[in-house]
Amino acid sequence: MEQETTEDEMILNQIIVVMTFLILTTIPAAAVSMEPMATIKAPIDAVITILNDPKYKATGTKSAQRDEIWKNVKPMFDFDEIAQRAVARNWSAFNDTEKADFTDVFAQFLGNTYIDKIQGEYHNEQIVYLGQDFYSDTYAEVKTLIVRETLKIPVNYRMLKGDEDRWMVYDIIVEGVSLVKNYRTQFASILSKDKPAQLIQQLNDKLAEQNKRLAENG
């Protein structure tokens, strides 16, 4: 979590920007509604409605809009799974309290980053849903394509069906680069010299900085 921008952080920023486009506008490649794909489309429709709601055009309403977007987007992601995969083999070094604390602060940190981009960096991109692959009864991947002028970027959602028989996103792959693996690289570097509690504190510090900046921006 160093201050300077590393190559991994640059790649991560690109992924976050791409995630922004995925939540904003979609064009189905075929008139087929299947379970994992439908799970992604539902919050997308809700977010589009919120972004276009006139009541959020007034000064000082960005925070309320952010809260409403988060309420709709958060259930799409399995943050327990994301957190565990981001830490990987180091997960066993976390006690139960640290696991819960890490998952909570990491989810909030990702949410702030994600929604901040949604509110500020959309440029009329279109998303084409190409289809979905089922690797088992509980694992699937929804394949999409971002179309922006002459640029086309493949983006895939990897999804897991949980205990409640509901599909949830546990990773996003942008041009072959995994969001989870990028964080895993950063966290592995930190945990090679620090304890889980120190990683959690660093994330809490980053979250506090985010919240302060977002509050100042309305």
Side-chain angles (χ1 to χ4, degrees):
M1 309 296 287
E2 294 86 354
Q3 293 297 317
E4 65 269 12
T5 301
T6 66
E7 182 178 354
D8 284 338
E9 289 169 335
M10 291 175 66
I11 295 173
L12 178 59
N13 287 336
Q14 180 185 12
I15 292 174
I16 292 296
V17 170
V18 169
M19 288 168 64
T20 301
F21 307 150
L22 285 171
I23 201 71
L24 291 170
T25 180
T26 63
I27 300 175
V32 177
S33 178
M34 299 178 71
E35 200 171 350
M37 196 177 292
T39 298
I40 293 173
K41 286 183 178 180
I44 288 174
D45 290 343
V47 169
I48 290 172
T49 299
I50 296 166
L51 289 170
N52 291 325
D53 192 328
K55 73 181 180 182
Y56 296 120
K57 304 300 182 183
T59 302
T61 59
K62 288 187 70 175
S63 178
Q65 186 184 56
R66 235 179 354 256
D67 291 343
E68 193 65 18
I69 291 173
W70 184 231
K71 183 175 72 175
N72 284 274
V73 171
K74 186 178 180 180
M76 187 173 77
F77 295 96
D78 186 342
F79 286 109
D80 290 331
E81 188 74 16
I82 291 170
Q84 185 170 347
R85 287 173 180 267
V87 172
R89 64 178 180 272
N90 289 301
W91 190 243
S92 61
F94 289 62
N95 61 40
D96 289 344
T97 299
E98 289 170 336
K99 288 176 180 178
D101 289 346
F102 174 77
T103 300
D104 181 61
V105 68
F106 190 34
Q108 292 183 64
F109 178 80
L110 282 176
N112 277 351
T113 305
Y114 188 47
I115 296 170
D116 190 32
K117 297 293 184 182
I118 289 175
Q119 289 181 308
E121 296 193 16
Y122 173 57
H123 301 292
N124 297 315
E125 292 75 10
Q126 294 180 329
I127 311 303
V128 179
Y129 277 88
L130 301 176
Q132 56 191 353
D133 292 331
F134 290 87
Y135 301 121
S136 71
D137 291 339
T138 56
Y139 283 91
E141 187 166 354
V142 177
K143 297 181 177 181
T144 71
L145 190 67
I146 295 176
V147 179
R148 183 180 186 183
E149 296 179 347
T150 60
L151 182 65
K152 295 182 179 180
I153 305 174
V155 182
N156 298 345
Y157 284 99
R158 289 184 177 170
M159 304 183 72
L160 175 69
K161 183 183 281 189
D163 296 335
E164 298 179 358
D165 204 35
R166 184 163 60 93
W167 290 100
M168 300 178 75
V169 175
Y170 70 85
D171 198 5
I172 296 179
I173 314 300
V174 181
E175 294 186 304
V177 180
S178 162
L179 175 72
V180 167
K181 286 183 179 178
N182 269 277
Y183 276 113
R184 185 182 299 157
T185 299
Q186 295 183 47
F187 294 158
S189 176
I190 294 169
L191 291 170
S192 68
K193 54 185 182 297
D194 294 329
K195 294 184 180 297
Q198 292 170 290
L199 171 59
I200 294 167
Q201 185 59 54
Q202 289 187 48
L203 277 173
N204 273 310
D205 291 343
K206 290 285 187 181
L207 181 62
E209 292 174 7
Q210 279 186 334
N211 287 335
K212 180 180 178 181
R213 175 176 54 79
L214 292 172
E216 291 172 349
N217 292 336

